[in-house]
Amino acid sequence: MRRLLAVLIVTIQALIGNVFAEESLEIQRLKELRQTFKTDLPIREERDADGQLSHIGVAIFSDTMQQALNPYLWRGVERIVLRIVLHGSEQRRYKWIQENGVRVFLEACPYGTVPFKTFAKAYPILKNVKGVQVFEDNNRYRIFISGSQPETTLLLYIPKDRELIYGTDKKEEDERQSKRLQNFTGKASVNPLPSYNQLFATQNQNVWHTIGEVFYIDSLCADGYYKILEDSSIVALWTPEHPKESVKNLLLGNILPKGLTIEVTHCQYGRHYETWTCSWPTLLAGLKDEGMMDHFAAAQYMPEKGMLTGILILRNTSFEFIHMLLLSIPIDQLGTEKPTTLSALLYTNTPQHNVYSLFEEYLPNGKDNSKNRNKIINEIPYLRK
């Protein structure tokens, strides 16, 4: 009986934990703070399909503004402002702002200095927002919030930090990504073929390539690889004669072989793993689905094993984090359309400043410094029809 009771208690605790897990820890903290510190500022609340609170923040952005901005950004800004408001004391507010790299100005006066010693000085603007302007630098956002006259402008500097803007830590976000990808049903479409004046020569006279951006090292890039047929048509490479080029085409979506499925092992925070199987077009579309994602690919060939490791990096340009997929491909799979299942490891939500240590062991010449290939583009001949 005691054992049964213990099992029931553990089961109930697990169920309760799963219920509360639907709301992020940040949302739960804000709900608790709102009960403690009352505010008459306009508050926006959003709930998901299950009725769980998915967003809470000071209502800053109008419907029109929301349509023009990344949804994670405007919700993040509203939640960050509410977090500042609900800290209760000026000392706590100032400490949280400093710890998270946020800067707040009322006109030219930084928060904490005369005449902006108390955050309540900004309330007249937040109660009657008349306009918002958002500007983006390399590593931060600048948000100008203006109210009606004679109020002045509130300026926020917010770093491009995924955890700060999303309001979730890596553990929470990895779990969300896993659930989202497993439920995703869309499919990627093959990328359009380049035109002749976009093709550049390679050392192999039968192979041409486009020149895309580089991520850290030359071998990790967005180049596509192509062949010109006798009828002058352009086709993307998918052949065992050109293994690395073919794998990069696959990862970037330049080729989508029929019947290709992937057994994905998602390596999450705390050495937690989830595994599922889906089609390659569905996985690729799911990885590309959120925000502005730049794509880079590399391939490592292991002839002694008859295998290649394809490396796909997806960089979120809005919040400076990356996803990485490592795909194992037998050499004899290249060039075929026969149904098969490949294995892949997926790492998500890695801050960009930590990415080098994550993928350097998988890359050829990983310790070499990246070169600026733009300096030599004009020296490479390109094909004109």
Side-chain angles (χ1 to χ4, degrees), residues 246-264:
S246 296
V247 169
K248 291 179 72 172
N249 276 343
L250 174 69
L251 294 171
L252 294 172
N254 297 327
I255 186 78
L256 293 175
K258 295 179 181 179
L260 180 58
T261 58
I262 310 295
E263 184 183 67
V264 185

Side-chain angles (χ1 to χ4, degrees), residues 2-70:
R2 290 181 178 177
R3 176 177 293 183
L4 178 60
L5 181 60
V7 170
L8 287 173
I9 291 173
V10 170
T11 303
I12 292 171
Q13 288 176 336
L15 289 173
I16 292 174
N18 287 338
V19 169
F20 282 108
E22 295 298 322
E23 292 183 353
S24 72
L25 293 175
E26 177 71 355
I27 292 292
Q28 293 177 39
R29 293 189 192 104
L30 286 172
K31 287 171 63 177
E32 294 172 358
L33 285 171
R34 191 181 178 191
Q35 293 175 351
T36 304
F37 303 104
K38 305 298 182 182
T39 177
D40 59 350
L41 291 173
I43 303 297
R44 189 193 319 278
E45 291 187 3
E46 294 181 351
R47 297 183 181 274
D48 59 22
D50 298 324
Q52 296 289 338
L53 188 64
S54 58
H55 168 62
I56 180 171
V58 175
I60 295 173
F61 296 91
S62 67
D63 292 344
T64 302
M65 296 173 190
Q66 294 170 23
Q67 295 298 319
L69 292 172
N70 184 307

Side-chain angles (χ1 to χ4, degrees), residues 14 22 28 34 106 112 124 185 187 209 213 232 300 384:
E22 295 298 322
Q28 293 177 39
R34 191 181 178 191
L106 192 63
T185 58
K187 291 186 177 181
H209 74 133
E213 291 188 18
S232 297
Q300 177 69 60
R384 294 186 185 273

Side-chain angles (χ1 to χ4, degrees), residues 210-224:
T210 56
I211 294 183
E213 291 188 18
V214 174
F215 188 59
Y216 279 92
I217 62 174
D218 283 350
S219 59
L220 187 59
C221 61
D223 293 6

Side-chain angles (χ1 to χ4, degrees), residues 147-383:
S148 58
Q149 296 297 330
E151 282 78 32
T152 53
T153 300
L154 182 68
L155 170 61
L156 290 92
Y157 288 77
I158 298 178
K160 286 184 175 180
D161 181 278
R162 189 209 58 79
E163 290 194 12
L164 175 64
I165 296 175
Y166 277 47
T168 55
D169 59 23
K170 190 178 187 307
K171 179 179 182 295
E172 291 178 296
E173 193 59 23
D174 280 351
E175 292 172 352
R176 187 190 74 85
Q177 286 287 358
S178 185
K179 181 178 179 180
R180 183 185 71 84
L181 289 170
Q182 291 183 59
N183 293 330
F184 191 83
T185 58
K187 291 186 177 181
S189 299
V190 67
N191 294 331
L193 291 168
S195 60
Y196 281 93
N197 61 3
Q198 292 175 307
L199 293 176
F200 291 79
T202 68
Q203 293 180 350
N204 188 320
Q205 62 180 357
N206 295 319
V207 176
W208 299 81
H209 74 133
T210 56
I211 294 183
E213 291 188 18
V214 174
F215 188 59
Y216 279 92
I217 62 174
D218 283 350
S219 59
L220 187 59
C221 61
D223 293 6
Y225 295 87
Y226 303 88
K227 188 175 182 179
I228 311 299
L229 301 183
E230 292 183 358
D231 63 359
S232 297
S233 59
I234 302 171
V235 295
L237 285 179
W238 179 240
T239 169
E241 286 74 33
H242 303 288
K244 291 184 179 181
E245 294 84 353
S246 296
V247 169
K248 291 179 72 172
N249 276 343
L250 174 69
L251 294 171
L252 294 172
N254 297 327
I255 186 78
L256 293 175
K258 295 179 181 179
L260 180 58
T261 58
I262 310 295
E263 184 183 67
V264 185
T265 298
H266 186 194
C267 307
Q268 301 179 29
Y269 178 85
R271 297 185 179 274
H272 178 69
Y273 302 92
E274 293 234 5
T275 301
W276 70 92
T277 300
C278 62
S279 73
W280 172 243
T282 294
L283 178 60
L284 189 60
L287 290 171
K288 292 180 177 181
D289 186 55
E290 288 194 315
M292 295 294 294
M293 305 292 282
D294 287 339
H295 313 94
F296 310 90
Q300 177 69 60
Y301 182 31
M302 297 171 286
E304 69 281 0
K305 296 182 180 180
M307 295 286 293
L308 296 106
T309 296
I311 303 168
L312 175 65
I313 295 288
L314 299 102
R315 179 183 65 184
N316 186 295
T317 57
S318 298
F319 308 124
E320 300 298 330
F321 66 90
I322 68 106
H323 303 323
M324 182 176 78
L325 183 79
L326 302 174
L327 185 63
S328 297
I329 307 176
I331 190 71
D332 58 11
Q333 178 60 36
L334 302 179
T336 71
E337 293 283 346
K338 62 181 180 182
T340 190
T341 300
L342 304 179
S343 298
L345 295 176
L346 175 64
Y347 300 84
T348 54
N349 307 304
T350 301
Q352 186 170 314
H353 59 268
N354 291 341
V355 68
Y356 192 81
S357 60
L358 180 63
F359 66 70
E360 64 177 340
E361 64 181 289
Y362 299 100
L363 293 175
N365 303 319
K367 295 183 179 180
D368 290 346
N369 292 326
S370 178
K371 300 174 183 177
N372 184 356
R373 294 186 307 162
N374 291 331
K375 295 180 180 179
I376 62 171
I377 284 179
N378 293 329
E379 301 173 10
I380 304 175
Y382 61 88
L383 179 65

